[in-house]
């Protein structure tokens, strides 16, 4: 009886351990949706992002001018002011913000901001995953189409299902999925299958099933 009781307790303990282990496998919440500020191809303005290089010129104040790399947290530090947020806004907005900030230290500052090494925030990049020759994130350019994007990633692989491709676009905090006809566009030359891209779009290209 004692042996049976011990076996029963061991079995119960094992069951509880397996149950708790199974309950600990939670799913992470889905990725946060960040809407691009560009909602029309006819109204596009470049937004600064991490890893961009900013050249800031402060008129008559060369000691405050210079080249600055945007940190991963979207900020820069200058010789006079630390932790200035610059990500997600235009170079012109950065210049006006800098004038307001520097106005506390110098009289009537005039600031000009230019950008090199363009990356932009993730919400402004166009990403291609799946059966492309070179899947990657591409910096959006004005009036970019899916044909331009396919050229940038080297086109489709041999086994890609181009007409099964999807375009995922953020709209009003939701992700909306559209069908693409990449085979018709690239392999058949049907230019009617070309469509406009917007910053933040994601193109997913599956492989064909044979």
């Amino acid at each position: 009886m004692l042996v049976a009781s011990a076996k029963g307790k061991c079995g119960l303990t094992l069951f509880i351990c397996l149950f708790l282990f199974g309950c600990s496998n939670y799913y992470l919440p889905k990725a946060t949706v960040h809407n691009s500020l560009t909602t029309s191809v006819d109204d596009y303005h470049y937004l600064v992002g991490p890893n961009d290089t900013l050249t800031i010129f402060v008129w008559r104040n060369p000691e405050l001018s210079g080249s600055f790399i945007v940190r991963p947290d979207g900020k820069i530090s200058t010789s006079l002011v630390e932790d200035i947020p610059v990500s997600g806004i235009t170079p012109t907005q950065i210049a006006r913000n800098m004038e307001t900030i520097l106005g506390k230290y110098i009289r009537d500052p005039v600031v000009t901001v230019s950008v090199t090494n363009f990356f932009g925030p993730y919400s402004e990049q166009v990403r291609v995953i799946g059966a492309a020759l070179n899947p990657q994130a591409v910096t959006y350019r004005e009036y970019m189409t899916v044909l331009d994007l396919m050229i940038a990633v080297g086109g489709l692989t041999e086994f890609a299902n181009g007409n099964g491709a999807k375009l995922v676009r953020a709209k009003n905090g939701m992700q909306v999925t559209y069908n693409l006809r990449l085979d018709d566009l690239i392999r058949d030359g049907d230019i009617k299958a070309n469509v406009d891209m917007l910053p933040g779009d994601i193109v997913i290209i599956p492989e064909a099933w044979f």
Side-chain angles (χ1 to χ4, degrees):
M1 294 293 293
L2 290 176
V3 173
S5 177
K7 288 183 177 179
K9 289 182 178 179
C10 289
L12 179 61
T13 302
L14 179 61
F15 173 79
I16 292 174
C17 289
L18 291 174
F19 176 77
L20 292 176
F21 177 77
C23 290
S24 66
N25 292 330
Y26 297 109
Y27 288 101
L28 289 170
K30 68 177 184 178
T32 305
V33 177
H34 296 281
N35 288 346
S36 169
L37 296 183
T38 300
T39 57
S40 169
V41 295
D42 296 318
D43 186 26
Y44 172 64
H45 302 279
Y46 181 78
L47 304 182
V48 169
N51 292 331
D52 284 358
T53 300
L54 304 183
T55 300
I56 299 177
F57 173 75
V58 185
W59 188 53
R60 291 183 176 177
N61 290 272
E63 71 281 2
L64 299 180
S65 304
S67 180
F68 306 89
I69 297 177
V70 182
R71 304 192 312 242
D73 62 357
K75 299 176 182 179
I76 61 171
S77 293
T78 68
S79 59
L80 190 60
V81 184
E82 296 181 338
D83 298 335
I84 303 172
V86 295
S87 183
I89 57 179
T90 67
T92 300
Q93 290 172 313
I94 294 172
R96 300 293 82 78
N97 292 346
M98 290 288 295
E99 289 172 349
T100 300
I101 294 170
L102 295 177
K104 301 175 183 178
Y105 306 97
I106 60 177
R107 183 176 180 179
D108 299 328
V110 177
V111 179
T112 302
V113 176
S114 59
V115 185
T116 56
N117 296 332
F118 297 91
F119 289 92
Y122 281 129
S123 63
E124 301 299 299
Q125 296 177 15
V126 180
R127 284 162 281 182
V128 181
I129 61 173
L133 284 178
N134 187 22
Q136 60 179 302
V138 178
T139 300
Y140 180 84
R141 296 184 181 182
E142 188 177 26
Y143 302 126
M144 175 182 279
T145 68
V146 73
L147 178 59
D148 301 319
L149 184 63
M150 287 297 98
I151 293 172
V153 300
L156 302 173
T157 66
E158 180 182 357
F159 302 107
N161 177 13
N163 281 353
K166 305 293 182 183
L167 186 153
V168 181
R169 177 172 292 168
K171 298 182 67 174
N172 301 320
M174 302 286 290
Q175 287 184 315
V176 182
T177 301
Y178 302 89
N179 295 322
L180 293 176
R181 296 187 291 119
L182 298 181
D183 280 338
D184 292 352
L185 175 64
I186 298 174
R187 291 170 174 158
D188 298 335
D190 183 2
I191 199 63
K192 294 191 298 296
N194 195 21
V195 296
D196 290 324
M197 304 298 296
L198 286 177
D201 283 351
I202 302 171
V203 174
I204 303 171
I205 308 171
E207 289 190 346
W209 292 90
F210 295 97

